[in-house]
């Protein structure tokens, strides 16, 4: 199996590359910036492939001999579509580690094209949204008459630069929840909840996590809110920043 890792020199991509090599895999490291790509390739003794995501012909030729592409280059709203188009053309399976709801919605709309091309399109194979989607499925299995799902997570540790850029971009657009099957936009920080994650109660704020698309698809429940634990001072900051939202 030939496995291409796009965005290999980014925060998440490098973690994946190192783990893949440690497990005996031989990924093709790929990305747009040749210098860090070649440096990582030399260190891990992996082949490298430098290519941008435009024009489409370049992307398709770059993955034509590849069995599986794993995209770790965010923001995925910018990188997923050109790679997906190339994979559909070349019969290459596509995976990524996005948590961006727009990407899940977009790729769900490509189901017929993927079926016709006999290609797997599988976004969100990392923390976003595997554990939360499994939890949603478990909840509805235990409570089959549920009409609403509230998911919460408390993530320790740092976030990648790409995740941070996506979050900042999203601040100007507010947050999203699913209500009666529709995505409803709310001011950032306007919906909160106290949640006990097993280490004491923490305050959490509604975020536009990918589960507002995926949990509905997995469970059939059309009311979904996702909460992320944040300190109260951050919630106050978010509310105070609302007047600045159009500028972000």
């Amino acid at each position: 199996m030939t496995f291409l890792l796009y965005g290999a020199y980014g925060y998440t991509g490098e973690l994946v590359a190192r783990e893949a090599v440690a497990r005996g895999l031989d990924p093709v490291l790929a990305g747009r910036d040749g210098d860090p790509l070649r440096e990582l390739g030399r260190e891990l003794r992996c082949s490298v492939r430098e290519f941008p995501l435009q024009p489409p012909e370049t992307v398709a030729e770059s993955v034509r001999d590849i069995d599986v592409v794993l995209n770790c280059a965010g923001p995925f709203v910018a990188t997923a579509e050109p790679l997906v188009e190339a994979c559909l053309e070349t019969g290459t399976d596509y995976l990524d580690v996005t948590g961006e709801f727009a990407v899940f919605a977009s790729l769900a709309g490509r189901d017929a094209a993927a079926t016709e091309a006999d290609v797997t399109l599988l976004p969100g194979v990392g923390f976003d949204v595997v554990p939360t989607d499994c939890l949603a499925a478990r909840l509805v299995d235990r409570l089959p008459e549920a009409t609403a799902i509230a998911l919460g997570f408390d993530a320790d540790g740092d976030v990648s630069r790409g995740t941070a850029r996506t979050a900042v971009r999203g601040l100007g657009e507010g947050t999203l929840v699913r209500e009666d099957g529709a995505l409803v936009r709310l001011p950032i920080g306007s919906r909160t909840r106290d949640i006990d994650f097993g280490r004491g109660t923490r305050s959490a704020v509604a975020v536009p996590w990918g589960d507002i698309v995926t949990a509905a698809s997995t469970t059939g429940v059309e009311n979904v809110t996702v909460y992320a634990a944040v300190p109260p001072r951050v919630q106050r900051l978010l509310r105070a920043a609302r007047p600045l939202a159009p500028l972000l």
Side-chain angles (χ1 to χ4, degrees):
M1 180 189 74
T2 54
F3 156 41
L4 183 141
L5 175 59
Y6 197 82
Y9 49 81
Y11 178 86
T12 302
E14 184 174 339
L15 291 175
V16 173
R18 293 185 182 281
E19 183 65 22
V21 171
R23 295 188 179 208
L25 300 176
D26 185 24
V28 177
L29 307 183
R32 291 165 286 192
D33 193 338
D35 289 340
L37 187 62
R38 286 186 288 272
E39 181 179 348
L40 184 62
R42 284 192 296 269
E43 180 185 348
L44 298 182
R45 298 183 179 180
C46 293
S47 60
V48 300
R49 194 167 295 185
E50 178 187 356
F51 63 94
L53 295 180
Q54 290 292 338
E57 297 80 9
T58 296
V59 187
E61 286 306 311
S62 298
V63 303
R64 195 170 297 280
D65 61 336
I66 299 296
D67 295 315
V68 180
V69 167
L70 173 58
N71 179 16
C72 291
F76 295 91
V77 70
T79 63
E81 187 63 24
L83 285 168
V84 165
E85 287 292 342
C87 287
L88 289 173
E89 178 181 333
T90 60
T92 304
D93 292 329
Y94 172 88
L95 299 84
D96 67 33
V97 293
T98 189
E100 299 167 35
F101 73 91
V103 176
F104 290 111
S106 175
L107 267 61
R110 309 303 300 275
D111 182 65
T115 300
E116 182 178 353
D118 194 25
V119 164
T120 297
L121 301 180
L122 187 59
V125 299
F127 177 78
D128 321 344
V129 292
V130 173
T132 46
D133 201 53
C134 290
L135 180 59
R138 176 63 171 165
L139 284 169
V140 175
D141 182 61
R142 296 288 298 273
L143 300 169
E145 297 180 359
T147 59
I149 297 174
L151 297 168
F153 64 91
D154 180 8
D156 291 330
D158 297 329
V159 299
S160 70
R161 184 172 58 182
T163 299
R165 283 200 302 265
T166 301
V168 170
R169 181 184 294 108
L171 286 177
E173 301 173 353
T175 192
L176 283 167
V177 298
R178 179 176 288 272
E179 294 183 349
D180 297 326
L183 296 181
V184 178
R185 194 169 296 281
L186 302 173
I188 189 71
S190 62
R191 183 170 295 188
T192 62
R193 184 168 183 153
D194 291 333
I195 303 174
D196 187 346
F197 292 98
R199 295 175 294 180
T201 300
R202 292 203 62 191
S203 185
V205 62
V207 293
W209 209 247
D211 298 271
I212 60 175
V213 172
T214 59
S217 176
T218 297
T219 66
V221 175
E222 292 290 7
N223 296 281
V224 182
T225 304
V226 185
Y227 295 90
V230 296
R233 66 180 183 278
V234 175
Q235 291 191 29
R236 291 193 294 270
L237 179 62
L238 291 174
R239 288 192 290 268
R242 287 178 197 167
L244 301 177
L247 304 177
L248 295 175

